[in-house]
Amino acid sequence: MLDRILIVEDDADIADLIRVNLMELDVEIDHQQEGESALQAALQEHYSLILLDVMLPKINGLDICRRVRERKPAQAIIMLTAKNSELDRVLGLELGADDYMTKPFSVRELQARVRSQLRKARALEQVIEEQRSTHQSQVIDIGILHIDKLHHQVKMKADTIDLTATEFELLLHLASHPNQVFSRSQLLESVWGYHHSGYEHTVNSHINRLRAKIESDATQPAIVQTVWGIGYKFNPQGVA
């Protein structure tokens, strides 16, 4: 079965360009030009990945991202934006996008990012299917932290923590290697599956979002800690 990608782009020429270049990846592609129909398709259909433009008629891409994330926490989303400010990029990430690209972008880089998200989606689906067939749940329990890989669920004590797919993978990677320090470049390669110079702040944004959800005080993190000048580590004492 081919991976399905939804392109949400109101500029037909840009959408056609993206479609032509992504067809090289042997995928099935749907296209929506305006926000309302795009939101309906995203919620009702199954897509391995959504390429979502920010500037859309009726409902903008940021609102679509937020509403899709509420209903489908594991949905892979790459934001496409013509805006060049750091604020717009960070806002997209804060609303739950897994990645973003600023127009104009390299076709090869777009293909690389799409491949990365599709690999993650396939890996997630494979894990779920394998675990369903064996009825074995894979979990990590460290203190009050419970990570269920099968159901993509995280709990602190009895409280369920809602994480996006990327936040979950980031926490899982760190918790699987307690006290090991990872640079931003290493996390990009391990969690996002790529490394492009200048995108390390993507890691920073996701770390901040993760802390806001799991730390009792995100300004003084006890679980996901910064090792100044190097990167980040998972501190098991923080959940003891």
Side-chain angles (χ1 to χ4, degrees):
M1 183 179 298
L2 297 179
D3 290 307
R4 293 183 70 196
I5 297 177
L6 174 62
I7 300 173
V8 185
E9 170 61 66
D10 62 334
D11 188 314
D13 291 335
I14 295 177
D16 286 342
L17 179 63
I18 294 174
R19 181 197 299 270
V20 168
N21 286 282
L22 291 189
M23 291 303 293
E24 297 179 14
L25 306 184
D26 195 23
V27 296
E28 180 180 334
I29 296 176
D30 291 345
H31 173 222
Q32 295 289 340
Q33 286 187 285
E34 57 91 21
E36 289 183 352
S37 60
L39 178 60
Q40 184 176 6
L43 294 179
Q44 294 182 355
E45 302 292 332
H46 173 74
Y47 293 103
S48 302
L49 174 64
I50 299 176
L51 295 176
L52 182 57
D53 188 31
V54 171
M55 302 302 294
L56 295 168
K58 298 185 178 180
I59 303 176
N60 66 43
L62 295 175
D63 286 336
I64 293 174
C65 180
R66 175 180 55 79
R67 293 170 66 175
V68 169
R69 185 62 72 211
E70 290 172 355
R71 293 273 297 275
K72 296 183 174 182
Q75 176 66 64
I77 300 173
I78 297 178
M79 300 292 297
L80 305 177
T81 175
K83 296 185 177 180
N84 204 23
S85 73
E86 184 73 13
L87 178 61
D88 293 308
R89 303 174 201 166
V90 171
L91 183 57
L93 294 172
E94 292 291 337
L95 290 174
D98 296 287
D99 204 351
Y100 73 87
M101 297 192 69
T102 302
K103 303 174 188 175
F105 44 75
S106 159
V107 168
R108 295 306 175 196
E109 185 175 351
L110 172 64
Q111 291 176 333
R113 304 255 191 132
V114 167
R115 284 194 188 97
S116 173
Q117 293 298 328
L118 292 179
R119 281 196 300 269
K120 288 169 57 179
R122 293 190 201 108
L124 174 58
E125 290 178 0
Q126 182 178 358
V127 167
I128 292 175
E129 288 303 317
E130 288 176 353
Q131 292 305 314
R132 282 175 179 167
S133 65
T134 59
H135 300 286
Q136 296 177 347
S137 176
Q138 299 182 11
V139 299
I140 294 178
D141 285 309
I142 305 177
I144 62 172
L145 176 66
H146 174 85
I147 303 176
D148 186 333
K149 301 178 189 178
L150 172 60
H151 299 100
H152 255 231
Q153 187 179 66
V154 174
K155 289 186 177 181
M156 300 282 286
K157 293 185 179 178
D159 297 327
T160 299
I161 309 298
D162 292 326
L163 300 180
T164 68
T166 302
E167 291 165 357
F168 180 90
E169 293 297 335
L170 181 58
L171 176 61
L172 176 62
H173 183 73
L174 291 169
S176 298
H177 306 85
N179 288 318
Q180 182 173 342
V181 181
F182 293 94
S183 69
R184 293 169 181 82
S185 295
Q186 288 173 325
L187 290 174
L188 269 176
E189 292 177 1
S190 297
V191 177
W192 279 261
Y194 69 84
H195 178 246
H196 291 286
S197 179
Y199 284 91
E200 285 82 359
H201 53 277
T202 298
V203 177
N204 299 350
S205 295
H206 279 79
I207 288 287
N208 290 337
R209 283 166 44 191
L210 180 60
R211 284 172 170 169
K213 295 180 179 182
I214 67 171
E215 300 279 1
S216 58
D217 182 358
T219 63
Q220 295 182 326
I223 303 170
V224 179
Q225 296 183 321
T226 300
V227 179
W228 296 107
I230 303 177
Y232 301 99
K233 72 172 185 177
F234 179 88
N235 175 27
Q237 296 301 315
V239 292

